[in-house]
Amino acid sequence: MKTIIIGLTGASSSGKSTIACILSTILPNCQIIHEDDFFKPESDVPYDESRKDRDWDCPDAIDFVKLKHTIRTLKEPSQYDSTIESIVADSGNGYYDYVLKSTEPPRSDASFQNDETVILKAKKSVSEILDSKYKNNYRIILLDGFLLLHDEELLELFDFTLFFKTNYQSLKDRREKRHYTVGESLWVDPPGYFDQFVWPGYYIYHKDRFTNDDENVVKLTGGVLKSDFKDKYKVFEFSNQDNCDANRLIQDVISVVTEEL
């Protein structure tokens, strides 16, 4: 069976998780894996003395060894190594299944209020391509995460990656309106958290990927990826500013997905 891995990445509140949810309704035989499910235990997340809090927005907060081994095993079952922890189980059919019940809460906002005709047309075009190329012997896995571009070994495991960018002010406004369910509790960012952790984490761990790494420029644009980086790792970038046309965005995403499939 062909396993197709698609990365979806961008800063927190860039729209990547919402788009992953929309894509999962369009793409057949599809499931989502969230990078957030690979956070290390809180005691192992780096504590920043200067900011007096744990830094959940740095690469050391994520168990990338487990994440990469999980993706590698799903894509190439022969790569499975029982000595390395991963979140898979033998399906009995020659491949492995991802078995974690995600800690990500169900997203009731997983819509850009797209026209139903746009979604139906996308489903039809994608299904025709997949049925023609792979018959019914395939599955698609979407990996949704905010630090995917940081790890080149991980990028090499993807068939291609979709990068969503948004300017600083829009990201901040969206993030500060969000509420999280942690266990059975409702949690919101403490005052100043976006500027202390979220934005610095995005900027610091992505600036080497941008054509212009001046922070003021990145704040205005969300960053523009270097072409050689995009070509090498098959990364496609999309702007998701507050005034973007939701239907046009989904159409552009589907256009890339169908071409790459």
Side-chain angles (χ1 to χ4, degrees):
M1 182 174 64
K2 172 70 172 177
T3 298
I4 301 162
I5 311 286
I6 304 173
L8 291 93
T9 192
S12 175
S13 300
S14 62
K16 62 188 180 304
S17 298
T18 298
I19 293 171
C21 288
I22 294 171
L23 283 180
S24 72
T25 69
I26 295 172
L27 301 172
N29 303 342
C30 179
Q31 73 175 131
I32 303 174
I33 295 176
H34 299 284
E35 182 189 53
D36 285 6
D37 290 327
F38 291 82
F39 271 121
K40 295 177 181 177
E42 184 173 358
S43 59
D44 294 335
V45 173
Y47 185 84
D48 189 301
E49 288 289 349
S50 64
R51 294 178 283 187
K52 303 299 180 187
D53 204 346
R54 295 195 183 277
D55 186 356
W56 295 89
D57 290 85
C58 71
D60 285 340
I62 304 288
D63 189 339
F64 276 102
V65 172
K66 182 192 292 187
L67 174 56
K68 285 184 283 192
H69 187 54
T70 297
I71 297 300
R72 188 176 292 114
T73 301
L74 294 170
K75 190 175 180 72
E76 297 289 347
S78 62
Q79 298 294 312
Y80 179 69
D81 183 346
S82 61
T83 66
I84 304 175
E85 189 176 1
S86 59
I87 308 176
V88 298
D90 192 335
S91 69
N93 295 315
Y95 59 90
Y96 291 85
D97 289 327
Y98 183 72
V99 293
L100 178 69
K101 181 175 174 57
S102 179
T103 58
E104 285 281 301
R107 297 184 65 84
S108 58
D109 65 339
S111 170
F112 285 160
Q113 297 180 334
N114 299 103
D115 291 342
E116 185 64 21
T117 54
V118 171
I119 302 300
L120 292 174
K121 184 178 179 181
K123 284 183 178 181
K124 184 174 184 297
S125 64
V126 171
S127 294
E128 287 175 352
I129 289 171
L130 288 168
D131 289 345
S132 172
K133 188 169 184 179
Y134 302 113
K135 307 308 177 188
N136 198 37
N137 195 32
Y138 68 89
R139 61 180 174 175
I140 299 172
I141 294 173
L142 308 176
L143 178 57
D144 155 40
F146 67 103
L147 278 173
L148 306 188
L149 297 188
H150 172 73
D151 193 300
E152 295 180 2
E153 284 187 356
L154 184 60
L155 288 174
E156 289 176 342
L157 297 175
F158 301 152
D159 288 84
F160 57 95
T161 299
L162 310 174
F163 168 59
F164 300 93
K165 57 188 185 179
T166 309
N167 66 63
Y168 161 86
Q169 193 58 54
S170 295
L171 291 172
K172 183 174 182 177
D173 291 345
R174 294 175 191 176
R175 174 79 185 213
E176 291 180 347
K177 292 175 183 176
R178 287 172 61 175
H179 295 72
Y180 301 86
T181 302
V182 181
E184 296 182 357
S185 303
L186 193 64
W187 187 82
V188 295
D189 287 344
Y193 189 82
F194 181 86
D195 285 311
Q196 288 182 308
F197 288 97
V198 179
W199 176 259
Y202 175 71
Y203 174 68
I204 290 168
Y205 301 112
H206 289 79
K207 64 180 182 178
D208 289 346
R209 308 302 190 205
F210 297 142
T211 56
N212 188 332
D213 65 1
D214 180 275
E215 186 170 6
N216 290 323
V217 172
V218 177
K219 280 187 171 183
L220 289 173
T221 64
V224 177
L225 294 175
K226 295 175 181 176
S227 21
D228 57 346
F229 174 79
K230 291 194 292 183
D231 291 344
K232 182 176 181 179
Y233 296 106
K234 297 188 76 173
V235 180
F236 301 86
E237 58 186 334
F238 304 87
S239 179
N240 181 24
Q241 311 296 353
D242 283 345
N243 61 351
C244 84
D245 181 324
N247 287 317
R248 180 77 263 169
L249 176 59
I250 292 301
Q251 287 170 334
D252 289 344
V253 169
I254 289 298
S255 177
V256 168
V257 170
T258 52
E259 184 173 341
E260 291 305 307
L261 290 176

